[in-house]
């Protein structure tokens, strides 16, 4: 898809016009030079944790840079590198922190080796849904805390994508009781991985591009990835039979754009606003895309590829939930910043749950 088609698809025409005409109703992208103010041009690199052009996350990154290019009239041009092209997937954080690349795209739970509490800004087992996560970040103080947490690393985080509720994962045996998780070597990142470890499993953190081979070769027994749309694209059904739901460990995973702080502060104010606004547009766009495509992909997995769809039994979910509560509370107790973030997150979750009970939950139960 061409750059302008991305922008059109995002419905960003009006947004582009608004971004560049503020305070000057006749100015158009690229007009600055014509008016005698040479516009500084920036050429950035963006490293990602995803395979290049991977459906969903990879294409969202392409949309993001296309949108920034279009909105800035070409003043901020960003070249995208897929996982392993410039740096390996899990070195994205360090690369952007060091300024090797000005931007990165990934998820905060990949950086738990840098900051365990960063995981709150991707997803928390039995935590917030996508809509709730966005509400916490944009209107509940979450974004400010995220920026405070990443400041010592010289990074500015911006929410830039959400998967919605993920699937529970792919298994080669049925999970009928908590006992079935014991001894299980599973690719599962973040706090969900720690929950599995407490229940006797072995969590493994692998970048997306390495999952299929690991599962097929038996290096891992099970894996989670995202949801039907992405899992179908990786062909995970060829390596495991049982596909479990719900994704208790990732109820609404926020993807992040990280920007090197010095590079970000070196941008003129309008370009900084464009970067933030484009990320917000992609944050919504990716969630919409997953929501639109997941069910068709699931249908294909079940009917065409004969995948056995299974729900985790309540006995398993209860054990996972209770263990998750302990894991999250322990993390909160490790350092003052963790406690500060946890308090904000928990308070928000309690408040939003009270509202959701009489809005989203009540409505969906009624709709059936
Ligand atoms: Ca996942």
């Amino acid at each position: 898809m061409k750059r302008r088609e991305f922008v059109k698809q995002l419905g960003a025409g009006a947004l582009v016009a608004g971004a560049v005409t503020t305070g000057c109703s006749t100015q158009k992208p690229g007009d600055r030079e014509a008016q005698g103010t040479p516009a500084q041009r920036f050429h950035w690199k963006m490293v990602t944790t995803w395979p290049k052009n991977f459906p969903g996350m990879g294409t969202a990154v392409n949309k993001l840079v296309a949108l920034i290019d279009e909105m800035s009239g070409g003043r901020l041009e960003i070249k995208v590198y897929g996982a392993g092209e410039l740096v390996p997937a899990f070195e994205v954080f360090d690369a952007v922190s060091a300024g090797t690349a000005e931007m990165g795209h990934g998820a905060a739970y990949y950086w738990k080796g840098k900051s365990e509490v960063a995981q709150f800004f991707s997803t928390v087992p039995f935590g917030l849904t996508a809509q709730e996560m966005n509400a916490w970040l944009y209107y509940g103080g979450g974004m400010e805390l995220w920026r405070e947490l990443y400041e010592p690393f010289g990074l500015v985080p911006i929410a830039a994508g959400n998967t919605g509720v993920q699937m529970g994962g792919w298994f080669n045996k049925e999970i009928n009781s908590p006992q079935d998780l014991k001894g299980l070597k599973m690719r599962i990142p973040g706090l969900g991985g720690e929950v599995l470890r407490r229940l006797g499993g072995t969590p493994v953190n692998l970048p997306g591009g390495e999952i299929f081979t690991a599962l097929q070769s038996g290096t891992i027994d099970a894996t989670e990835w995202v949801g039907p749309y992405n899992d179908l694209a990786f062909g995970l059904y060829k390596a495991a039979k049982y596909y479990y739901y719900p994704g208790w460990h990732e109820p609404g995973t926020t993807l992040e754009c990280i920007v090197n702080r010095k590079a970000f502060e070196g941008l003129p104010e309008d370009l900084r606003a464009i970067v933030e606004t484009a990320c917000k547009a992609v944050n919504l766009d990716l969630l919409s895309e997953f929501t639109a495509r997941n069910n068709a992909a699931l249908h294909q997995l079940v009917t065409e590829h004969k995948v056995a769809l299974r729900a985790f039994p309540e006995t398993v979910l209860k054990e996972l939930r209770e263990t998750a509560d302990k894991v999250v509370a322990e993390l909160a107790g490790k350092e003052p910043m963790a406690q500060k973030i946890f308090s904000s997150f928990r308070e928000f979750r309690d408040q939003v749950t009270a509202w959701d009970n009489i809005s989203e939950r009540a409505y969906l139960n009624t709709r059936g």
Side-chain angles (χ1 to χ4, degrees):
M1 196 185 291
K2 292 280 189 293
R3 185 163 57 91
R4 282 187 179 276
E5 286 168 5
F6 279 143
V7 176
K8 197 175 162 194
Q9 187 193 32
L10 284 163
L15 193 143
V16 172
V20 296
T21 56
T22 306
C24 179
S25 61
T26 57
Q27 197 178 30
K28 292 184 185 129
D31 274 359
R32 283 162 184 264
E33 283 160 333
Q35 290 178 3
T37 311
Q40 193 178 353
R41 289 176 182 272
F42 298 83
H43 300 279
W44 280 11
K45 296 186 196 78
M46 182 163 188
V47 288
T48 72
T49 59
W50 328 114
K52 198 165 185 181
N53 303 322
F54 185 70
M57 285 87 113
T59 51
V61 169
N62 296 345
K63 288 178 187 176
L64 178 63
V65 302
L67 192 53
I68 291 172
D69 186 271
E70 189 76 10
M71 290 168 81
S72 70
R75 287 188 296 136
L76 178 51
E77 194 177 44
I78 303 164
K79 183 171 167 51
V80 175
Y81 294 87
E85 287 191 323
L86 193 63
V87 297
F90 289 161
E91 287 177 25
V92 162
F93 188 92
D94 281 342
V96 180
S97 180
T100 307
E102 289 83 0
M103 285 176 101
H105 196 266
Y109 53 36
Y110 292 148
W111 323 128
K112 66 177 181 182
K114 303 287 171 189
S115 165
E116 273 197 83
V117 70
Q119 297 176 96
F120 274 102
F121 299 103
S122 47
T123 191
V124 171
F126 300 96
L128 302 177
T129 64
Q131 187 167 323
E132 294 167 346
M133 192 69 189
N134 286 332
W136 179 55
L137 291 175
Y138 295 139
Y139 288 96
M143 200 64 244
E144 289 79 4
L145 289 167
W146 197 1
R147 297 224 162 152
E148 187 181 337
L149 182 72
Y150 277 22
E151 192 160 5
F153 300 100
L155 293 170
V156 178
I158 313 172
N162 198 300
T163 64
V165 181
Q166 298 199 1
M167 286 293 285
W170 296 87
F171 301 81
N172 272 311
K173 64 173 188 180
E174 289 193 327
I175 304 298
N176 295 318
S177 80
Q179 291 296 320
D180 292 323
L181 299 173
K182 286 195 196 309
L184 200 69
K185 194 172 179 188
M186 179 174 180
R187 185 271 180 190
I188 174 170
L191 293 163
E194 180 56 21
V195 172
L196 178 71
R197 195 181 67 75
R198 301 281 176 101
L199 295 176
T202 305
V204 177
N205 199 8
L206 286 174
E210 296 174 24
I211 295 174
F212 178 77
T213 307
L215 186 61
Q216 199 180 39
S217 66
T219 307
I220 53 176
D221 306 315
T223 188
E224 66 79 58
W225 172 223
V226 182
Y229 178 50
N230 276 173
D231 295 6
L232 174 66
F234 266 163
L236 297 175
Y237 61 89
K238 295 177 199 159
K241 181 180 173 188
Y242 298 103
Y243 196 23
Y244 270 85
Y245 68 92
W248 57 273
H249 62 307
E250 301 204 48
T253 306
T254 293
L255 307 178
E256 64 177 12
C257 180
I258 45 176
V259 189
N260 178 279
R261 175 167 290 281
K262 276 191 192 154
F264 193 64
E265 288 173 353
L267 291 177
E269 202 175 333
D270 65 333
L271 289 187
R272 291 202 297 269
I274 284 171
V275 169
E276 297 222 36
T277 305
C279 284
K280 208 166 192 175
V282 167
N283 198 34
L284 167 67
D285 185 73
L286 188 56
L287 177 62
S288 308
E289 184 177 12
F290 278 127
T291 306
R293 298 194 197 282
N294 271 334
N295 195 51
L298 182 63
H299 183 74
Q300 192 178 342
L301 285 167
V302 171
T303 55
E304 194 176 317
H305 301 299
K306 310 299 178 200
V307 164
L309 188 63
R310 294 280 189 279
F312 286 120
E314 181 50 35
T315 50
V316 172
L317 289 171
K318 181 172 182 286
E319 194 80 13
L320 291 167
R321 191 162 48 237
E322 288 171 1
T323 309
D325 284 348
K326 283 184 207 149
V327 166
V328 174
E330 280 175 30
L331 170 58
K334 284 188 178 175
E335 48 169 312
M337 189 60 190
Q339 187 62 57
K340 194 170 157 183
I341 293 167
F342 173 66
S343 298
S344 169
F345 187 94
R346 187 179 50 185
E347 189 183 333
F348 191 85
R349 188 184 68 172
D350 291 348
Q351 286 173 4
V352 84
T353 300
W355 167 238
D356 277 349
N357 282 343
I358 61 163
S359 56
E360 298 282 328
R361 195 196 305 267
Y363 170 70
L364 288 174
N365 286 345
T366 300
R367 192 176 67 181

